[in-house]
Amino acid sequence: MATSTTQPRAGRRLPDSPRDPRRVGFSQTLGRWDVKVSPYLYISPFFILFALTGLFPLAYTAYVSVYDWHLLGGQGDFVGFDNFAFVFQEPNFWKGLRNTFSIFLLSTIPQLMIAIVLAALLDANLRARTFWRMGVLVPYVVAPVAVSLIFGKVFADQSGLANAVLGFFGVDPIKWHGAVLPSHFAVATMVNFRWTGYNTLILLAAMQAVPRELYEAAVIDGATRVRQFFSITIPQIRPTLIFVVITSTIGGLQIFDEPRMFDQLGQGGPGRQWMTVTMYIYELGFGNSKSFGRAAAVAWVLFLIILAVGMLNFWLTRRIASESTPKEPRRKKVKR
Amino acid sequence: MRKTTRKAWALAAGVTSIALVATACSSSDDAGEGDETADGGNITLTVATFNEFGYTDEMFDRYEAENPGITIEQKVAATSNEARENLNTRLAAGSGTSDIEAIEVDWLPELLQYPDYFEDLSSPDVEGRWLDWKVAQATTPDGKLIGYGTDIGPEGIAYRADLFEAAGLPSDREAVAELFGGDSATWEGFFEVGKQYTSTTGKPFFDSASAIYQGMVNQEEAAYEDPDTGDVIALDNPRIEEMYTQVTTAAVTDNLSAHFSQWSDDWTNSFQTDGFAVMLAPGWMLGVIEGNAAGVTGWDLADVFPGGSGNWGGSFLTVPTQGANVEAAKDLAAWLTAPEQQIEAFQNKGTFPSQVEALESDEIKSATNEFFNNAPVGEILANRALDVVVPFKGPQYFTIQDAISNAIVEVDVNGADPAAQWQTFVGVVEGLG
């Protein structure tokens, strides 16, 4: 806002200057610079930091990925796309990809749904509101490693709480650490435990910014709570919803702590049942093969995948949310 | 106008980044200055170990009292895998290693390829301190010693006397040693006893198939790699597949295994629930058993091992060159691995010393362990250390061992098909490059 109001003024002065050059003092020049430059200066710390910690590593990773590069031995020969070719024919890479997507879907979708519902409940007039609101954030404060330790015990194959409870209902023990899908479910549970509250609070903040008049109008029109939720709340929090979907996509595809801490060895299971792509990167770079080149290649592939899925989600959320928005005002107008 | 903006922007960016770089540099300079204060000032030495090394705070306090100005911090990683990854990461990053880093013999070979990361520890003061083969393991071809030996892992058989008795088997340790075959004990005999136990009680005999395999493979002189050429021979060596078949048959077909993956939560918990009756127990494992089985009675240690004797593990203390106080760290490492301290570590956690003088000492020979029914553990392990075969472990050893142990865990714990898992292992070995 500040720039848009001041800029035209500076523009108006501009045509004057060639006519009367002597009048332009240094202070005026400074003032002009101030107007032109300072906005960029103010936002520059972010971009400089981003360039140092985001852009540079990204480019450097691309550079490393085309070399034979050993963790301890350092840079080797230029190998072109050999590293990429190698990882594409590794079964573990595909396992990692499968696990990542499976855990991502198992965690992100239920997590966002629960978060929206929870936020809607917290948005209602509750007693001890702050208590409940802070309550949902408590799991987020617990360190992920502690979460993993606790859930590791809960989901222990033979002596865990989860199987004991299932046994009580006559269900056969599930191999949480042995079978593919149960292990994904267990890991996703940890992720959901940690992130649901966080997303709830963000969505709650968005919901509170929704004008109350809309709800009043809806109540007068006789809309039920459920109808209000779908026709007012969801369309109104669309930008926030898009933000939350994108961030959880990025986070979900990069999941590392929880699966790594799911057992003591941290390899993602003896048959790589729950090894995600990020864990695979770690294993390539810092595990037995210590090949930074291959790890960098996978890192780049993961980057492209996240970009693609992120864009797909952006498009989807926009579509889903915008389909319902135009309907809302139209109906209201008709009724009035 | 546009140009000005861009220039100014560039200038601002430049100034800021220089400032950032400058601060980054100055902070690392501070860290580097530690070297000069090594003689007089206060320095902190960090010691990174894993599992149980038997070093106690009292030992460190004593060293601090004898060497004013030195503060020691101990960092303990839960597993040797974790410690290894930590060390690799920090060596590569060029900073962040502890002043003394403990390493295990299994991943020593890969570090021996890059000896420049470590200080040469050879010194006349410590000549002849260890068993010759222990020193040879940590010495590079050109004679650089990168680690001081701490413990070795001669193995006995730890068993639950009460569970043996309930199964109608002999339970005192001499009789159990005879039961397993005494001096001519074999793996076949070991599994035979297991079948007797399991058929009478219906309970699992040993804890984990991959642990049993560890014991077996550590008796092979050249398991996975040719000592002369360094070539990978894991698939050409018929013994590997034989052992794999033998151990998976015993674990799954004969159902002798409790189907645990060692170090898992289930495994840890099972010590409290009589999960199994027998474990292969190198010296350092005694401390682990005692810790996990706190409050459980009946554990004992038999002076016998299938195939005669075996060494499982054993560690070294290294001093990474990137440390700020390498000289002080060397002194501390030498002190910690001196016979006196290793005897104490043995008394604390059962880590069996690799020092010649310690092995001959009365403290070791007369050492008994109350938890293991007052078994003369020192004498037993010293007997077991007599004919230890020193396996050759090259740079690929850890990777291959990891792959086959994963295959065995899949079969043993998760009920996978042994043949399919063997093929997976073959795939991993063939993909080594």
Side-chain angles (χ1 to χ4, degrees):
Chain A
M1 287 290 272
T3 40
S4 65
T5 48
T6 44
Q7 249 170 355
R9 258 182 240 152
R12 248 175 258 142
R13 264 182 216 158
L14 202 60
D16 297 341
S17 41
R19 279 184 220 156
D20 210 355
R22 274 163 291 170
R23 274 194 190 174
V24 184
F26 185 61
S27 59
Q28 255 180 319
T29 321
L30 265 184
R32 209 158 53 213
W33 280 1
D34 182 30
V35 166
K36 282 278 177 193
V37 174
S38 20
Y40 295 103
L41 212 57
Y42 294 145
I43 56 166
S44 63
F46 167 76
F47 286 97
I48 291 162
L49 269 182
F50 173 72
L52 280 175
T53 61
L55 218 54
F56 171 71
L58 206 62
Y60 197 67
T61 307
Y63 175 72
V64 173
S65 73
V66 292
Y67 281 89
D68 182 11
W69 201 302
H70 190 274
L71 172 68
L72 299 177
Q75 186 172 6
D77 301 329
F78 177 81
V79 293
F81 285 97
D82 281 8
N83 288 328
F84 289 88
F86 174 85
V87 293
F88 283 140
Q89 53 89 33
E90 271 286 282
N92 276 354
F93 170 74
W94 298 106
K95 274 187 193 170
L97 213 56
R98 172 199 71 187
N99 298 343
T100 305
F101 273 95
S102 167
I103 293 174
F104 163 62
L105 292 175
L106 277 173
S107 59
T108 311
I109 295 175
Q111 179 188 323
L112 286 184
M113 286 183 171
I114 297 169
I116 291 180
V117 174
L118 266 181
L121 291 176
L122 288 175
D123 192 30
N125 269 324
L126 291 173
R127 262 167 218 249
R129 219 184 294 173
T130 319
F131 171 76
W132 297 114
R133 283 177 190 174
M134 288 334 316
V136 295
L137 203 62
V138 168
Y140 181 69
V141 184
V142 183
V145 174
V147 173
S148 306
L149 283 177
I150 295 164
F151 278 84
K153 296 225 181 300
V154 170
F155 287 111
D157 288 29
Q158 296 189 21
S159 56
L161 180 69
N163 274 343
V165 172
L166 287 176
F168 186 72
F169 292 105
V171 180
D172 284 341
I174 292 175
K175 288 188 171 171
W176 299 110
H177 286 79
V180 174
L181 213 55
S183 71
H184 293 181
F185 180 81
V187 172
T189 309
M190 285 188 244
V191 179
N192 290 339
F193 174 77
R194 184 163 150 73
W195 289 100
T196 308
Y198 174 81
N199 285 328
T200 306
L201 278 203
I202 292 179
L203 291 171
L204 175 64
M207 284 181 190
Q208 296 198 313
V210 178
R212 299 286 132 170
E213 296 81 13
L214 292 178
Y215 292 105
E216 285 165 22
V219 170
I220 292 168
D221 289 346
T224 60
R225 291 298 293 255
V226 177
R227 187 60 205 273
Q228 286 173 35
F229 176 72
F230 282 108
S231 296
I232 300 175
T233 312
I234 299 279
Q236 285 290 324
I237 62 167
R238 194 182 77 171
T240 312
L241 207 53
I242 293 177
F243 168 78
V244 169
V245 168
I246 300 290
T247 49
S248 17
T249 304
I250 297 170
L253 291 176
Q254 293 183 339
I255 184 116
F256 182 79
D257 303 23
E258 287 89 352
R260 187 169 156 75
M261 296 296 296
F262 190 48
D263 76 351
Q264 270 64 21
L265 298 175
Q267 295 177 320
R272 302 294 184 266
Q273 283 90 338
W274 63 91
M275 179 193 71
T276 60
V277 176
T278 41
M279 287 170 76
Y280 184 55
I281 294 175
Y282 188 80
E283 189 184 315
L284 282 176
F286 302 98
N288 291 329
S289 65
K290 294 201 195 60
S291 170
F292 258 24
R294 287 167 188 171
V298 181
W300 252 86
V301 172
L302 179 65
F303 171 66
L304 295 178
I305 291 172
I306 291 178
L307 219 58
V309 177
M311 273 167 8
L312 179 77
N313 276 348
F314 180 65
W315 178 76
L316 270 178
T317 342
R318 266 181 82 109
R319 248 181 64 109
I320 291 168
S322 61
E323 262 174 5
S324 46
T325 13
K327 283 178 202 160
E328 191 54 35
R330 234 182 278 148
R331 270 193 204 123
K332 263 185 206 156
K333 270 175 202 161
V334 171
K335 278 187 180 170
R336 274 177 193 173
Chain B
M1 271 300 48
R2 258 210 150 162
K3 254 187 180 170
T4 334
T5 318
R6 255 191 212 165
K7 265 187 197 161
W9 200 88
L11 184 76
V15 167
T16 318
S17 49
I18 286 168
L20 279 172
V21 170
T23 39
C25 288
S26 61
S27 63
S28 65
D29 279 347
D30 293 344
E33 276 160 23
D35 241 347
E36 283 129 55
T37 58
D39 308 310
N42 291 323
I43 57 172
T44 302
L45 295 175
T46 44
V47 181
T49 63
F50 48 87
N51 295 343
E52 295 285 8
F53 269 67
Y55 298 146
T56 58
D57 288 340
E58 292 87 75
M59 290 167 71
F60 289 131
D61 288 345
R62 212 162 60 223
Y63 189 81
E64 285 170 3
E66 285 167 19
N67 299 272
I70 289 183
T71 314
I72 303 169
E73 274 174 30
Q74 196 180 197
K75 296 180 189 168
V76 184
T79 64
S80 96
N81 274 35
E82 195 184 317
R84 168 171 173 260
E85 282 170 9
N86 267 336
L87 179 61
N88 280 336
T89 313
R90 288 174 180 157
L91 284 180
S95 69
T97 56
S98 296
D99 294 297
I100 294 178
E101 288 275 353
I103 59 174
E104 201 186 1
V105 62
D106 277 3
W107 32 284
L108 178 62
E110 56 184 25
L111 296 175
L112 272 178
Q113 291 181 299
Y114 303 97
D116 291 347
Y117 283 109
F118 299 99
E119 288 291 311
D120 185 0
L121 299 179
S122 52
S123 122
D125 301 344
V126 295
E127 201 110 338
R129 183 186 272 186
W130 297 274
L131 296 168
D132 288 342
W133 58 267
K134 184 75 178 171
V135 178
Q137 282 178 330
T139 309
T140 61
D142 54 358
K144 184 174 171 181
L145 179 69
I146 70 163
Y148 284 154
T150 57
D151 60 326
I152 50 177
E155 298 170 274
I157 293 181
Y159 68 99
R160 286 281 298 273
D162 51 338
L163 297 183
F164 266 51
E165 204 172 301
L169 296 171
S171 63
D172 72 286
R173 66 183 80 89
E174 284 78 24
V176 168
E178 277 312 307
L179 174 72
F180 282 114
D183 287 340
S184 53
T186 59
W187 288 104
E188 286 77 16
F190 176 76
F191 292 132
E192 237 6 270
V193 176
K195 281 183 206 165
Q196 276 180 46
Y197 175 86
T198 304
S199 61
T200 25
T201 59
K203 284 184 187 160
F205 182 57
F206 56 79
D207 59 335
S208 154
S210 63
I212 302 289
Y213 177 81
Q214 264 291 1
M216 296 167 92
V217 78
N218 275 329
Q219 293 175 337
E220 299 295 313
E221 263 173 71
Y224 306 132
E225 293 151 296
D226 190 313
D228 301 323
T229 60
D231 293 340
V232 173
I233 53 163
L235 302 178
D236 309 318
N237 184 353
R239 280 292 294 144
I240 304 299
E241 194 166 2
E242 273 169 39
M243 291 189 289
Y244 175 83
T245 314
Q246 194 179 11
V247 79
T248 49
T249 309
V252 180
T253 317
D254 302 332
N255 206 17
L256 303 184
S257 166
H259 308 299
F260 292 122
S261 150
Q262 240 176 6
W263 314 111
S264 69
D265 286 322
D266 281 335
W267 180 77
T268 310
N269 291 339
S270 68
F271 281 91
Q272 294 292 338
T273 56
D274 303 350
F276 47 85
V278 151
M279 259 185 89
L280 303 186
W284 49 266
M285 188 65 95
L286 300 180
V288 178
I289 296 176
E290 191 177 339
N292 286 340
V296 175
T297 52
W299 277 102
D300 207 330
L301 183 70
D303 187 4
V304 63
F305 197 74
S309 61
N311 182 67
W312 179 3
S315 302
F316 297 84
L317 297 183
T318 66
V319 177
T321 34
Q322 57 169 259
N325 304 299
V326 287
E327 288 309 320
K330 276 186 193 175
D331 293 342
L332 176 59
W335 184 82
L336 281 171
T337 55
E340 301 79 39
Q341 275 64 245
Q342 284 304 135
I343 291 172
E344 207 177 329
F346 172 76
Q347 287 161 345
N348 289 331
K349 291 293 173 187
T351 52
F352 199 68
S354 59
Q355 290 75 1
V356 180
E357 204 179 297
L359 287 173
E360 286 160 359
S361 70
D362 284 341
E363 284 97 331
I364 295 295
K365 283 189 172 155
S366 64
T368 57
N369 190 321
E370 205 184 329
F371 184 81
F372 289 87
N373 192 20
N374 293 314
V377 285
E379 191 193 329
I380 293 175
L381 293 173
N383 285 343
R384 292 299 108 211
L386 283 181
D387 312 307
V388 163
V389 173
V390 184
F392 172 74
K393 297 183 180 182
Q396 302 282 14
Y397 185 88
F398 199 83
T399 314
I400 301 173
Q401 174 61 25
D402 206 32
I404 197 158
S405 130
N406 274 336
I408 293 171
V409 170
E410 277 286 81
V411 174
D412 179 33
V413 182
N414 298 332
D417 173 40
Q421 286 304 319
W422 175 257
Q423 283 313 312
T424 311
F425 166 69
V426 170
V428 173
V429 175
E430 281 172 349
L432 288 175

